[in-house]
């Protein structure tokens, strides 16, 4: 990920925990609680006091609503990622290995890639109706592009010295690809999947908020529309927690697999 | 590669794309996929022309583009200013940055119902959603860019006795510019997604909402026309960022 594709602020999780990190959230929650007690009526349709949100969060965690919704959302995100990431990987390898194919496909790729995934929700709804499939189609379409682009870049930036070694050893094109180019690209392909996984969760929640009656996004939307702000904030807090844990485990996984590269 | 070869490759690439459209036409003409889902390309073209000449496609497009850029510019400005404030002070980085990092993975579209609850089905709601969502990438990358400034440059500033504002303007901002632009690029992608979500959930006239209306009345050609338009907006805005990147960080090449 060093060249070309600038990566936004790498994760700070490696820097360890500092108790001072907690000052701001504690202060914000305290202020919100005081303001809510002072100004938000108990029957407000749009806002809720933090303690009410906490009560609803615990209640929905205890009765399993949140767990079911989380399983639905994460399941859709990960299967969509498998589908879209798999396709992106195949196309990325092909386009990375063959500059001619890459140039010929460039207009097609550059035309389809900028389509915002949310625009596809109505189309997917028309084709598949409500349910898992319409969500999968959109997640797969969205996650395919980053994996394709980053895999292509990873393969193209193989150390030229290694290619020369392969030439000196008279390796065939196939063996060069499978023995030298692909193994060298694996860590960066993993990074591509990590980024795509983060995107998949965002898209899953978006599809659920907009249209699909399942998962965390729908639970949040339903609570907001039935004017239960404490429940919808509880869903929001839970979505934030799930998002954080999801990203954290992806970074952790990457560390486990590629610990040797950590020193770079 | 010289100019002739490049334009030949471009022509070939356009040819491949035209080939895909031809396949689409053939599939649709042969009735392999129901026209309810997949209208022929000519019908999509007609829907586009019709939308621009007789319908309110132009007004929709203008409204959506104005929202995207208004919200995005607001977010970028706020993100850079807040990012500079947090990034320049090592104390703020310790106290504030981890909380911001913790919020970053939150899917902002989940906030749309809450924004609707607060602001109603209004234009301000759409702008607030986009500005809030597109703020994070720019803010965090600005903080990161400021944190990654070569420490010796700060030492140089100290020996030159530069004021704090001069340090920001002459050293830190240019050095963080690649990060900031990368953040703004992500912010623009986020804005495009959020404008559609906010238009659909907030029932605000625009290209995103027109796609939803087309779906409700089973007008597949209009859906494709809307998706095509949003793709164009995405393509054009990515191109603008590329140009900005070339001009603002020319010294990097």
């Amino acid at each position: 990920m060093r060249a070309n594709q600038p990566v936004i602020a790498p994760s700070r999780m490696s820097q360890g925990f500092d108790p001072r990190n907690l000052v701001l959230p504690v202060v914000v929650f305290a202020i919100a609680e005081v303001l809510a007690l002072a100004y938000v009526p108990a029957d407000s349709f749009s806002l809720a006091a933090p303690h009410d949100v906490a009560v609803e969060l615990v209640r929905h965690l205890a009765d399993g609503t949140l767990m079911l919704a989380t399983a639905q959302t994460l399941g859709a995100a990960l299967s969509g990622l498998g589908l879209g990431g798999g396709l992106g990987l195949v196309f990325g390898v092909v386009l990375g290995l063959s500059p001619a194919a890459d140039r010929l496909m460039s207009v097609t790729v550059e035309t389809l890639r900028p389509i915002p995934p949310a625009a596809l929700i109505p189309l997917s709804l028309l084709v598949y109706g409500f349910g898992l499939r319409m969500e999968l189609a959109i997640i797969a379409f969205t996650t395919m592009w980053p994996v394709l682009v980053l895999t292509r870049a990873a393969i193209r930036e193989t150390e030229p010295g290694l290619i020369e070694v392969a030439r000196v050893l008279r390796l065939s094109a196939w063996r060069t690809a499978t023995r030298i180019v692909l193994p060298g690209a694996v860590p960066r392909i993993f990074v591509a999947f990590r980024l795509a996984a983060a995107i998949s969760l965002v898209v899953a929640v978006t599809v659920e908020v907009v249209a699909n009656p399942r998962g965390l996004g729908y639970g949040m939307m339903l609570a907001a529309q039935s004017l239960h702000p404490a429940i919808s904030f509880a869903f929001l807090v839970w979505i934030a927690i799930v998002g954080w844990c999801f990203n954290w485990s992806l970074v952790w996984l990457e560390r486990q697999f590629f610990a040797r590269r950590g020193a770079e | 590669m010289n100019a002739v070869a490049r334009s030949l490759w471009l022509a070939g690439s356009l040819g491949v794309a035209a080939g895909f459209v031809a396949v689409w036409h053939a599939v649709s003409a042969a009735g392999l996929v129901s026209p309810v889902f997949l209208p022929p390309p000519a019908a999509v073209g007609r829907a586009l022309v019709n939308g621009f000449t007789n319908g309110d496609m132009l007004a929709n497009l203008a409204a959506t583009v104005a929202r995207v850029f208004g919200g995005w510019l607001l977010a970028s400005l706020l993100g850079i200013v807040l990012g500079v404030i947090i990034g320049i002070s090592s104390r703020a980085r310790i106290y504030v940055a981890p909380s911001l990092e913790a919020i970053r993975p939150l899917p902002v579209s989940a906030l749309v119902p809450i924004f609707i609850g607060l602001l109603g089905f209004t234009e301000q709601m759409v702008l607030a959603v986009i500005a809030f969502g597109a703020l994070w990438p720019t803010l965090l990358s600005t903080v990161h860019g400021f944190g990654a400034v070569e420490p010796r440059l700060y030492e140089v500033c100290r020996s030159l006795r530069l004021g704090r504002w001069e340090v920001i303007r002459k050293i830190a901002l240019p050095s963080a510019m690649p990060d900031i632009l990368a953040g703004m690029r992500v912010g623009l992608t986020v804005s495009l997604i959020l404008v559609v979500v906010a238009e659909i959930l907030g029932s605000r006239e625009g290209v995103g909402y027109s796609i939803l209306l087309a779906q409700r009345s089973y007008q597949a050609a209009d859906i494709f026309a809307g998706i095509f338009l949003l793709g164009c907006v995405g393509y054009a805005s990515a191109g603008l960022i590329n140009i900005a990147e070339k001009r603002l960080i020319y010294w990097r090449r």
Side-chain angles (χ1 to χ4, degrees):
Chain A
M1 292 301 297
R2 286 293 168 269
N4 276 343
Q5 293 286 333
V7 177
I8 320 306
S11 166
R12 299 168 53 91
M13 286 162 204
S14 57
Q15 295 176 4
F17 177 75
D18 184 327
R20 287 176 292 182
N21 298 351
L22 284 178
V23 173
L24 182 71
V26 169
V27 169
V28 167
F29 275 108
I31 293 176
E33 183 69 40
V34 170
L35 286 179
L37 287 176
Y39 296 109
V40 178
D43 54 354
S44 163
F45 287 156
S46 55
L47 287 173
H51 72 267
D52 286 328
V53 176
V55 169
E56 291 297 345
L57 184 61
V58 171
R59 198 165 68 82
H60 283 82
L61 273 174
D63 71 6
T65 322
L66 277 173
M67 286 307 160
L68 176 67
T70 309
Q72 287 175 337
T73 301
L74 283 182
L78 289 177
S79 0
L81 173 69
L83 214 65
L87 284 173
L89 184 65
V90 171
F91 289 133
V93 168
V94 171
L95 299 185
L97 288 176
S98 155
D102 185 37
R103 287 199 197 109
L104 285 176
M105 286 301 291
S106 70
V107 169
T108 311
V109 169
E110 293 310 314
T111 316
L112 291 177
R113 195 155 72 98
I115 294 177
L120 296 173
I121 295 173
L123 178 65
S124 194
L125 193 59
L126 184 68
V127 175
Y128 295 114
F130 293 119
L132 180 62
R133 282 195 303 170
M134 72 86 91
E135 201 170 326
L136 279 186
I138 296 171
I139 298 171
F141 176 86
T142 316
T143 50
M144 185 173 93
W145 303 110
V147 173
L148 186 159
V149 169
L150 293 175
T151 303
R152 185 176 65 181
I155 283 178
R156 235 186 256 156
E157 275 158 32
T158 306
E159 176 68 40
L162 290 177
I163 304 283
E164 274 169 39
V165 170
R167 206 171 297 146
V168 171
L169 292 174
R170 294 172 193 278
L171 293 184
S172 66
W174 171 251
R175 280 176 76 91
T176 309
T178 53
R179 297 291 157 87
I180 297 200
V181 177
L182 282 179
V186 163
R188 288 183 57 188
I189 292 175
F190 195 93
V191 174
F193 268 87
R194 174 164 70 76
L195 292 176
I199 295 171
S200 74
L201 182 66
V202 172
V203 176
V205 171
T206 304
V207 174
E208 291 162 1
V209 167
V210 173
N212 212 13
R214 61 196 300 283
L216 290 169
Y218 176 68
M220 145 106 218
M221 189 64 204
L222 192 67
Q225 282 181 340
S226 49
L227 307 178
H228 287 117
I231 303 179
S232 69
F233 274 101
F235 265 92
L236 184 69
V237 170
W238 183 248
I239 291 172
I241 295 173
V242 169
W244 190 85
C245 294
F246 190 61
N247 276 357
W248 189 88
S249 27
L250 291 168
V251 172
W252 182 83
L253 262 182
E254 192 183 328
R255 292 251 162 79
Q256 294 301 304
F257 280 115
F258 305 110
R260 282 174 300 131
R261 289 174 57 95
E264 280 184 357
Chain B
M1 193 176 8
N2 60 34
V4 178
R6 201 174 300 156
S7 43
L8 274 178
W9 279 114
L10 181 65
S13 181
L14 280 169
V16 170
F20 279 114
V21 175
V23 170
W24 169 12
H25 175 79
V27 165
S28 157
L32 292 176
V33 179
S34 159
V36 177
F37 304 145
L38 189 72
V44 176
R46 272 198 302 278
L48 264 178
V49 172
N50 195 28
F52 273 112
T53 49
N54 302 325
D56 35 19
M57 195 73 104
L58 193 64
N60 284 342
L61 182 63
T64 300
V65 169
R67 284 171 194 144
V68 168
F69 283 96
W72 175 70
L73 283 176
L74 208 64
S76 303
L77 204 66
L78 264 176
I80 293 173
V81 170
L82 288 177
V84 167
I85 294 171
I86 298 168
I88 200 75
S89 133
S90 54
R91 197 177 297 153
R93 278 214 295 274
I94 293 171
Y95 281 98
V96 182
S99 305
L100 300 182
E101 285 287 343
I103 305 179
R104 174 164 63 155
L106 175 73
V108 181
S109 34
L111 281 167
V112 178
I114 286 173
F115 273 89
I116 291 179
L118 290 173
L119 298 170
F121 297 104
T122 58
E123 199 60 40
Q124 290 92 308
M125 180 276 293
V126 181
L127 274 181
V129 164
I130 298 172
F132 185 86
L135 172 73
W136 298 100
T138 309
L139 170 58
L140 289 168
S141 56
T142 308
V143 173
H144 174 247
F146 268 62
V149 172
E150 169 71 43
R152 289 219 182 105
L153 287 177
Y154 283 137
E155 280 169 30
V156 171
C157 298
R158 217 168 301 140
S159 34
L160 291 174
R161 294 173 195 281
L162 291 182
R164 182 160 249 199
W165 170 239
E166 271 180 310
V167 175
I168 294 175
R169 199 167 54 88
K170 292 190 175 151
I171 304 291
L173 259 188
S175 156
M177 195 50 85
D179 285 301
I180 295 175
L181 282 172
M184 286 172 72
R185 180 191 290 276
V186 177
L188 195 55
T189 316
V190 173
S191 309
L192 264 171
I193 296 177
L194 288 176
V195 77
V196 177
V197 173
E199 278 178 9
I200 289 181
L201 290 178
S203 306
R204 302 295 304 177
E205 293 284 322
V207 181
Y209 188 57
S210 81
I211 299 179
L212 182 76
L213 292 183
Q215 180 256 318
R216 286 192 181 151
S217 50
Y218 295 94
Q219 300 291 331
D222 290 334
I223 299 183
F224 275 81
I227 294 175
F228 175 80
L229 272 186
L230 284 174
C232 290
V233 176
Y235 185 81
S237 48
L240 284 179
I241 295 250
N242 282 340
I243 294 171
E245 231 164 28
K246 275 201 187 108
R247 299 197 66 148
L248 284 172
I249 48 178
Y250 57 92
W251 39 265
R252 264 211 144 188
R253 330 236 153 219

